């Protein structure tokens, strides 16, 4: 790989041993993908945040980065951390987070702050066309598909190395020619395209079929960015998808021709209601026991999405013994808790939190509207209205 004089000096260790290690990490990785040079980035995001016991090796490296007094050069955020406001509800879970305090302290010292998987709702929202180094698959797919900035799915630690160096290797989705659509997807007429649950389920199917190819979706011009966020998170779970062109929404896909860069799709796939029902069943785990936890907000909800859930909860009460979690970033949480909407939370008994409902290892049975949570764990997959009805009843049965 070509390195300029400054990069070469870092690589050779002239700027310190730890910086050289981080440079070697991104250079060697880049070379394995055929990258010929590094490029400057404007933003980074890391998945390495969770102080669970099993991330001790990564936590040790982050501690060494701190000890070397290195700081990130570009705005860098991290995935959600545990929420210490719920010590009673999560008393069984907290003991697993032995590394939490040290890890967060180290990340803050390195200059990483803002703990959410939707950093684009905070101030880590790059501009169209900017090069970034993000991990967290749901965030990467939003970055590429909704914002039109450019990032590959970076790995944990590589993302931090990129943030510190302000660079990543130039390959994959950083190159325009690699952002060309491969497969064209449509929903058949029997599917309600305005139903969020259908769109999220469609995401599961797209990821399964696309693998690491680039899907293009026709017929969702009406979809909101939040809906694309949820669809994209599902696709990035079942597949290695990092970019979806939603015609009429994705900045680089104003029409089908542009999305395919004037080439033809390899295949055209129509998704029917039968396909959607099948995938829901496939990824939903049914429990005979009554639920202990229900969660909405994986990926973290936008402010608008939180308000939609609160509106649905108005006048309702969560049954005793059940935790109903609404997950968003800490800034939105604080704002809502200090507003008139807090009455709805108090009256209903629902909890607004900034944790990740998947990694918090909530006791089972867990019911959620998140396709991603259901793909990665043994949760039951329901839409938001069903989740609220079950939480009110306290049982799965009608
Ligand atoms: Fe976010 Fe956790 Fe889901 S990081 S996307 S809430 S698995």
């Amino acid at each position: 790989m070509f390195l300029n004089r400054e990069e070469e000096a870092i690589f050779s260790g002239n700027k310190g041993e730890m910086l050289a290690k981080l440079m070697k990490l991104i250079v060697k990785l880049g070379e394995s993908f055929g990258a010929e040079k590094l490029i400057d980035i404007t933003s980074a995001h890391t998945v390495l945040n969770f102080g669970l016991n099993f991330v001790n090796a990564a936590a040790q490296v982050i501690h060494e980065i701190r000890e070397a007094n290195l700081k990130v050069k570009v705005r860098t955020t991290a995935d959600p951390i545990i929420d210490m406001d719920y010590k009673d509800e999560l008393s069984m879970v907290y003991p697993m987070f032995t590394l939490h305090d040290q890890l967060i302290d180290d990340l803050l010292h390195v200059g990483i702050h803002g703990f959410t998987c939707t950093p684009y709702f905070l101030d880590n929202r790059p501009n169209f066309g900017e090069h970034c180094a993000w991990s967290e698959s749901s965030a990467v797919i939003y970055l590429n598909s909704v914002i039109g900035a450019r990032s590959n799915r970076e790995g944990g630690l590589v993302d931090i190395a990129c943030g510190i160096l302000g660079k990543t290797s130039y390959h994959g989705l950083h190159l325009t020619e690699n952002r060309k659509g491969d497969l064209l997807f449509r929903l058949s007429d029997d599917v309600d395209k305005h139903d969020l649950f259908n769109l999220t389920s469609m995401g599961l199917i797209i990821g399964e079929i696309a693998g690491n190819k680039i899907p293009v979706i026709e017929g969702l011009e009406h979809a909101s960015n939040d809906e694309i966020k949820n669809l994209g998170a599902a696709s990035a779970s079942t597949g290695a998808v990092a970019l979806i062109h939603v015609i009429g929404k994705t900045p680089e896909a104003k029409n089908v021709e542009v999305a395919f860069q004037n080439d033809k799709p390899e295949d055209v796939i129509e998704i029917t209601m039968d396909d959607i029902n099948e995938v829901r069943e496939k990824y939903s785990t049914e429990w005979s026991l009554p639920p202990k936890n229900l969660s909405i907000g994986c990926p973290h909800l936008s402010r608008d999405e939180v308000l939609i859930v609160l509106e649905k909860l108005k006048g309702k009460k969560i049954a005793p013994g059940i935790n109903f979690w609404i997950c968003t970033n800490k800034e939105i949480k604080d704002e809502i808790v200090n507003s008139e909407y807090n009455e709805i939370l108090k009256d209903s008994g629902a909890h607004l939190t900034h944790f990740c409902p998947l990694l918090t290892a909530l006791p089972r049975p867990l019911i959620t509207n998140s396709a991603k949570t259901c793909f990665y764990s043994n949760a039951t997959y329901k839409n938001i209205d069903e989740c609220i009805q079950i939480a009110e009843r306290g049982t799965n049965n009608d």
Side-chain angles (χ1 to χ4, degrees), residues 79-80 117 136 138 233 297-300 327 355-359 370 372-373:
D79 262 5
C117 47
E136 173 46 54
S138 70
C298 165
H300 272 177
C327 308
F355 66 44
C356 161
L358 179 62
L359 282 179
S370 167
K372 177 169 179 173
T373 301

Side-chain angles (χ1 to χ4, degrees), residues 66 129 146 183 227 250 269:
R66 175 199 178 158
V146 176
L183 303 167
E227 286 171 329
T250 300
I269 298 131

Side-chain angles (χ1 to χ4, degrees), residues 123-263:
D123 62 349
N124 196 2
R125 188 183 175 92
N127 296 310
F128 173 78
E130 288 182 359
H131 296 281
C132 306
W134 284 23
S135 53
E136 173 46 54
S137 62
S138 70
V140 175
I141 200 165
Y142 189 97
L143 178 97
N144 283 305
S145 314
V146 176
I147 301 174
R150 300 182 173 201
S151 178
N152 291 314
R153 286 172 66 154
E154 303 280 9
L157 274 185
V158 178
D159 43 20
I160 295 178
C162 292
I164 288 170
L165 292 158
K167 291 175 186 294
T168 191
S169 51
Y170 190 49
H171 69 94
L173 291 177
H174 293 288
L175 283 83
T176 301
E177 61 268 31
N178 293 340
R179 298 173 71 85
K180 177 166 94 70
D182 295 312
L183 303 167
L184 181 61
F185 288 87
R186 296 185 185 120
L187 281 169
S188 68
D189 289 342
D190 63 336
V191 181
D192 178 356
K193 301 171 182 60
H194 293 269
D195 181 324
L196 170 65
F197 203 44
N198 287 345
L199 299 186
T200 311
S201 305
M202 179 193 197
L204 289 168
I205 299 169
I206 289 176
E208 280 187 342
I209 296 173
N212 61 1
K213 295 194 171 177
I214 298 183
V216 176
I217 309 176
E218 204 177 30
L220 292 188
E221 293 81 1
H222 63 277
S224 67
N225 289 349
D226 287 336
E227 286 171 329
I228 298 173
K229 165 179 72 99
N230 294 306
L231 184 159
S235 297
S237 303
T238 49
V241 185
L243 162 64
I244 296 182
H245 289 297
V246 181
I247 300 298
K249 295 292 296 182
T250 300
E252 292 153 274
K254 65 174 194 288
N255 57 45
V256 173
E257 291 71 32
V258 174
F260 285 100
Q261 297 183 7
N262 294 317
D263 207 345

Side-chain angles (χ1 to χ4, degrees), residues 265-323:
E266 282 173 27
D267 204 356
V268 180
I269 298 131
E270 186 167 86
I271 297 174
T272 65
M273 202 56 216
D274 281 348
D275 299 327
I276 285 182
N277 288 332
E278 200 178 300
V279 83
R280 279 179 190 165
E281 214 172 296
K282 178 174 174 184
Y283 290 112
S284 183
T285 305
E286 301 306 320
W287 295 80
S288 52
L289 297 168
K292 286 196 167 75
N293 287 282
L294 292 102
S295 71
I296 311 288
C298 165
H300 272 177
L301 300 181
S302 68
R303 186 178 183 280
D304 285 353
E305 288 179 302
V306 172
L307 296 187
I308 289 169
V309 178
L310 291 181
E311 200 52 46
K312 287 175 185 284
L313 279 171
K314 217 184 241 177
K316 303 190 171 127
K317 276 219 176 307
I318 307 301
I322 289 193
N323 290 309

